[in-house]
Amino acid sequence: MEAQYTSNELVIITGMSGAGRTVAIQSFEDLGYYCIDNLPPVLLPTFLTLLRSSDKYNFRIAAVMDMRGGVFFDELIAALDELLSDEDIEVRILYLDATNATLVRRYKETRRSHPLAPNGLPLEGIEKERELLAEVKGRADSVYNTSHMKPRELREKITHEFASLTTPVFTINVMSFGFKHGMPIDADLVFDVRFLKNPYYVEELRHKTGLQTEVSSYVLALAETEELIAKLKDLFHFMIPLYKEEGKSQLVIAFGCTGGQHRSVTLAEYFGKVLATDEHTVVTHRDIERRKKV
């Protein structure tokens, strides 16, 4: 279900180059924000005007604005003054910072040059950037010092502060598939349920799928299925909180049988309902239409 927003929200992500803006923008994208990297501040009012004239009047945007904007960055203060006077938009500034020593080390590790010192020492560009950003930092609503933060810790901090109650922060995708059509490349967990009795060999069930009661009842009534369900419930209860703690925004659980019609569909449907009681869950059946196309 798509989240509904009752107000317009704009988060401006700025701060020192090398302080974690890439991780930050990815985190906001996972939270459901429309994300823009390296937006020249002078274009921001025009962009918001376009949004207002479209069907996306209620929006949540995260925009990175940094020294890559060159001379356009001088327009940020003026753009902020204009936006802050607009009562229809909630504007928040997230400033990412780190010590000079940390930033120098990160630049050396990546072998990148600083945007303000492309032919000089990283420290020269860092000191110049810090001076230019002083006023913006003073206006920031949140300042994160990432000197001792791991990427996961930065994602967790952003999620804690900016996640909306209406936004599914963590999504579980439960899917069914047929091994005869290939393994899903995007699955995190794959369970082969071909050891269960195959409804395909029951004449009255052969041309049905796990979406139909006759097939799902047959599969779920098997003693092996009951034991499998009990073990997987225990496994998911253990693993899912750990995936969330690790900072994953989604988990793909795949059930596979031979053709992706009966057993895998039944198990995907079953666990889609079970997991949906605690998490935002989406169920898909990758190969259920393949037989019709053959």
Side-chain angles (χ1 to χ4, degrees):
M1 180 174 66
E2 186 176 348
Q4 299 295 319
Y5 314 114
T6 57
S7 62
N8 299 320
E9 182 181 356
L10 169 65
V11 178
I12 295 175
I13 305 167
T14 188
M16 299 297 294
S17 301
R21 290 191 307 259
T22 298
V23 173
I25 198 69
Q26 291 172 347
S27 302
F28 278 99
E29 188 172 27
D30 291 340
L31 289 174
Y33 284 73
Y34 182 86
C35 296
I36 310 170
D37 191 14
N38 194 22
L39 177 68
V42 71
L43 298 181
L44 182 58
T46 302
F47 176 71
L48 295 177
T49 299
L50 290 173
L51 282 178
R52 285 175 166 141
S53 63
S54 70
D55 58 353
K56 298 183 181 298
Y57 186 72
N58 290 326
F59 54 77
R60 301 172 81 211
I61 297 172
V64 171
M65 298 182 187
D66 54 41
M67 299 311 297
R68 290 173 296 170
V71 296
F72 295 111
F73 199 85
D74 296 334
E75 303 292 332
L76 178 56
I77 299 301
L80 286 175
D81 289 338
E82 181 179 344
L83 290 171
L84 291 173
S85 65
D86 190 335
E87 297 180 355
D88 193 40
I89 302 177
E90 179 185 358
V91 182
R92 301 171 71 181
I93 302 174
L94 171 60
Y95 188 96
L96 302 177
D97 202 355
T99 64
N100 286 0
T102 299
L103 294 174
V104 169
R105 174 175 54 80
R106 290 175 181 173
Y107 270 103
K108 286 186 176 181
E109 289 175 351
T110 60
R111 297 185 180 182
R112 294 173 54 233
S113 59
H114 193 281
L116 294 183
N119 299 313
L121 298 173
L123 184 58
E124 294 178 2
I126 291 168
E127 292 176 338
K128 183 177 181 181
E129 183 179 30
R130 196 176 295 283
E131 181 180 350
L132 292 172
L133 293 177
E135 183 174 354
V136 176
K137 182 178 181 179
R139 290 178 174 234
D141 299 281
S142 301
V143 178
Y144 295 174
N145 189 315
T146 67
S147 299
H148 303 291
M149 280 189 192
K150 296 179 179 178
R152 184 189 72 180
E153 294 171 329
L154 177 55
R155 287 194 294 268
E156 289 175 350
K157 190 172 181 67
I158 290 172
T159 297
H160 178 75
E161 180 171 352
F162 292 91
S164 166
L165 293 177
T166 60
T167 303
V169 176
F170 182 79
T171 299
I172 299 178
N173 291 280
V174 184
M175 67 180 297
S176 67
F177 72 95
F179 278 97
K180 66 188 293 184
H181 305 298
M183 289 269 289
I185 63 174
D186 54 349
D188 298 297
L189 300 173
V190 177
F191 297 97
D192 183 350
V193 297
R194 288 177 293 184
F195 66 91
L196 299 174
K197 292 182 179 178
N198 193 348
Y200 178 84
Y201 295 109
V202 179
E203 184 63 32
E204 60 269 26
L205 302 180
R206 176 172 299 179
H207 300 292
K208 299 180 185 295
T209 74
L211 294 178
Q212 294 168 284
T213 303
E214 300 93 324
V215 174
S216 61
S217 296
Y218 175 90
V219 175
L220 294 175
L222 298 172
E224 298 87 349
T225 305
E226 292 181 359
E227 187 172 354
L228 173 66
I229 286 174
K231 292 180 182 297
L232 288 182
K233 282 183 176 179
D234 185 55
L235 180 66
F236 293 153
H237 179 73
F238 168 73
M239 294 182 71
I240 289 175
L242 296 178
Y243 275 115
K244 294 171 70 174
E245 287 180 18
E246 193 62 25
K248 285 183 68 68
S249 61
Q250 66 172 341
L251 178 67
V252 181
I253 301 174
F255 291 92
C257 61
T258 303
Q261 304 292 317
H262 300 101
R263 295 163 290 180
S264 62
V265 172
T266 298
L267 270 298
E269 284 290 314
Y270 179 86
F271 277 101
K273 292 182 176 66
V274 169
L275 297 174
T277 60
D278 296 312
E279 307 291 348
H280 180 256
T281 305
V282 178
V283 178
T284 58
H285 303 294
R286 193 192 71 177
D287 300 323
I288 200 168
E289 297 293 327
R290 282 183 179 267
R291 185 168 58 192
K292 295 179 181 180
K293 296 177 181 179
V294 175

